Amino acid sequence: MFCSTGSSGLYKAPLSKSLLLVPSSLSLLLALLPHGQRFFLYDLQAVKDDFQIWRLICGRIICLDLKDTFCSSLLIYNFRIFERRYGSRKFASFLLGSWVLSALIDFILVETAWYCFGISASRNLPSGFLAPVFALFVPFYCSIPRVQVAHILGPLSITNKTLIYILGLQLFTSGSYIWIVAISGLISGICYNSKILQVHQVLYIPRWMAKFFSWTLEPIFSSSEPTTEARIGMGATVDIQRQQRVEVLDRQLMLSQFTQARRQRQQQGGMINWNRLFPPLRQRQNVNYRDGQQSEQQASPPLEVSEEQVARLMEMGFSRGDALEALRASNNDLNVATNFLLQH
């Protein structure tokens, strides 16, 4: 239900798996031991008056509210797509940068709320790894393609991203002052994703540290590749379950193509050729169709692709042949090509 992008499971996402297991387990443990919760309160007043700097770390890692733990865990599971796309080191750098930057923004927002509106929120901020979760909505909105699924109440449409936004709204309204943490997370996500003030060059995970954690912790939190989700080459024969899943995605993409055709022409200069993305779906067993497809490809010259985009896809772990085919099929749209390769 909350797997709108990519394959299910936590394959190639050890950091996401650790964020799901460790903080959630500690949250459950603190729920059973309420006397220990005072050490994990996110109290900015204590940080300011008593110089309890350690609260900036403890208070911003473990959720004391089980509802926040549940919602943030579901969002982290969905956002694991970015760890697969960018790699664990870059994904960890984004989380670290947004986590540190949002702490500074929390101070600014709390002081602004007090001096402008008389709202005292410094002792009532929610605890947990919430700001980086909200920060991940920025790349989710900017880079994940929007695919229409259904229409309700006339023009109101449901997409593959609707449930994630609803879950984020649920987390946003779970507490009185969680809006401060949410806003700081979104601002930090925008700053890091847009490379404002060169934040990504200051707050990042060094290569030696990434290698150390890859050697020590990655074997503990790594997950095996799903047997039913094995990666295949484009146009290869797949089993029945895999074929049914791709056919469902194909129908969704075709429906989205008809409803957004005009906007695609304006933005991309033409329609995306989804038939090249999914050539064998409806007629996978039809030999004549394959012969006709081959003759059509021989008749039309291949689309020129950007070597820079090919290199970026190859850095993510895809082969050059798959990268070229995906970019040609999506009219050099890097986001669409990446999303397709990750799902296959």
Side-chain angles (χ1 to χ4, degrees):
M1 179 177 181
F2 293 101
C3 182
S4 63
T5 54
S7 302
S8 60
L10 292 165
Y11 176 62
K12 291 185 178 180
L15 179 58
S16 300
K17 186 176 181 179
S18 64
L19 292 175
L20 287 174
L21 295 180
V22 177
S24 300
S25 300
L26 293 177
S27 296
L28 293 174
L29 182 61
L30 290 175
L32 299 176
L33 302 173
H35 296 291
Q37 293 184 0
R38 67 180 185 273
F39 298 106
F40 296 92
L41 293 174
Y42 187 25
D43 190 347
L44 289 182
Q45 193 66 36
V47 175
K48 181 180 178 181
D49 296 341
D50 302 330
F51 298 101
Q52 297 181 3
I53 307 299
W54 54 271
R55 289 194 179 275
L56 290 176
I57 300 177
C58 298
R60 306 183 73 244
I61 295 179
I62 310 301
C63 288
L64 299 181
D65 191 331
L66 292 181
K67 298 190 299 296
D68 293 346
T69 302
F70 179 73
C71 292
S72 60
S73 297
L74 288 177
L75 288 171
I76 289 174
Y77 177 76
N78 182 82
F79 292 149
R80 77 201 185 285
I81 185 70
F82 297 112
E83 184 174 4
R84 292 175 177 172
R85 176 181 294 189
Y86 303 131
S88 297
R89 181 193 173 197
K90 188 174 181 180
F91 182 66
S93 298
F94 180 91
L95 295 179
L96 175 65
S98 59
W99 187 79
V100 174
L101 190 60
S102 62
L104 175 62
I105 301 175
D106 282 345
F107 273 104
I108 297 175
L109 292 178
V110 166
E111 294 298 326
T112 302
W114 169 250
Y115 285 110
C116 296
F117 307 102
I119 300 175
S120 178
S122 58
R123 294 187 180 273
N124 302 298
L125 294 178
S127 302
F129 197 71
L130 301 176
V133 172
F134 282 106
L136 285 169
F137 274 97
V138 176
F140 180 75
Y141 174 80
C142 297
S143 62
I144 299 298
R146 178 178 176 270
V147 179
Q148 181 177 304
V149 177
H151 270 294
I152 59 173
L153 301 177
L156 186 61
S157 62
I158 296 179
T159 69
N160 59 326
K161 302 165 71 172
T162 301
L163 289 177
I164 308 304
Y165 289 136
I166 293 176
L167 186 60
L169 182 62
Q170 172 66 31
L171 184 61
F172 182 82
T173 57
S174 63
S176 300
Y177 297 103
I178 197 173
W179 59 271
I180 294 179
V181 177
I183 293 176
S184 67
L186 291 173
I187 294 176
S188 62
I190 293 173
C191 292
Y192 202 95
N193 193 65
S194 303
K195 302 179 180 179
I196 297 177
L197 302 177
Q198 302 298 317
V199 179
H200 66 288
Q201 295 183 359
V202 179
L203 301 173
Y204 68 96
I205 302 295
R207 188 178 299 275
W208 64 267
M209 185 179 296
K211 290 183 178 180
F212 174 77
F213 285 112
S214 176
W215 178 67
T216 56
L217 297 181
E218 186 173 348
I220 301 175
F221 295 103
S222 61
S223 299
S224 59
E225 184 177 2
T227 56
T228 59
E229 295 284 344
R231 191 178 186 277
I232 58 171
M234 300 183 69
T237 303
V238 295
D239 55 17
I240 296 177
Q241 294 180 354
R242 183 67 176 179
Q243 181 176 352
Q244 290 176 345
R245 180 184 176 190
V246 177
E247 287 176 351
V248 170
L249 181 60
D250 183 42
R251 288 194 294 267
Q252 294 175 354
L253 291 172
M254 292 299 292
L255 180 62
S256 176
Q257 178 185 3
F258 283 113
T259 57
Q260 301 180 7
R262 181 174 301 176
R263 187 175 65 179
Q264 288 180 350
R265 290 193 188 98
Q266 295 175 352
Q267 294 179 350
Q268 302 176 1
M271 299 286 289
I272 295 179
N273 189 358
W274 295 110
N275 291 328
R276 290 196 61 192
L277 275 176
F278 307 96
L281 290 181
R282 296 186 178 84
Q283 305 182 39
R284 192 177 295 276
Q285 306 299 330
N286 192 334
V287 179
N288 294 331
Y289 172 80
R290 293 180 180 177
D291 295 339
Q293 189 74 6
Q294 292 176 357
S295 62
E296 180 183 351
Q297 292 176 356
Q298 293 176 357
S300 58
L303 180 68
E304 293 294 332
V305 298
S306 172
E307 287 297 329
E308 180 181 357
Q309 293 180 345
V310 173
R312 291 182 62 181
L313 289 175
M314 292 178 66
E315 289 177 356
M316 299 178 194
F318 304 116
S319 65
R320 179 176 177 82
D322 287 353
L324 289 172
E325 181 64 21
L327 287 171
R328 288 167 181 163
S330 60
N331 288 334
N332 284 320
D333 191 313
L334 183 61
N335 291 331
V336 175
T338 304
N339 191 49
F340 171 76
L341 290 173
L342 287 170
Q343 290 174 339
H344 295 74

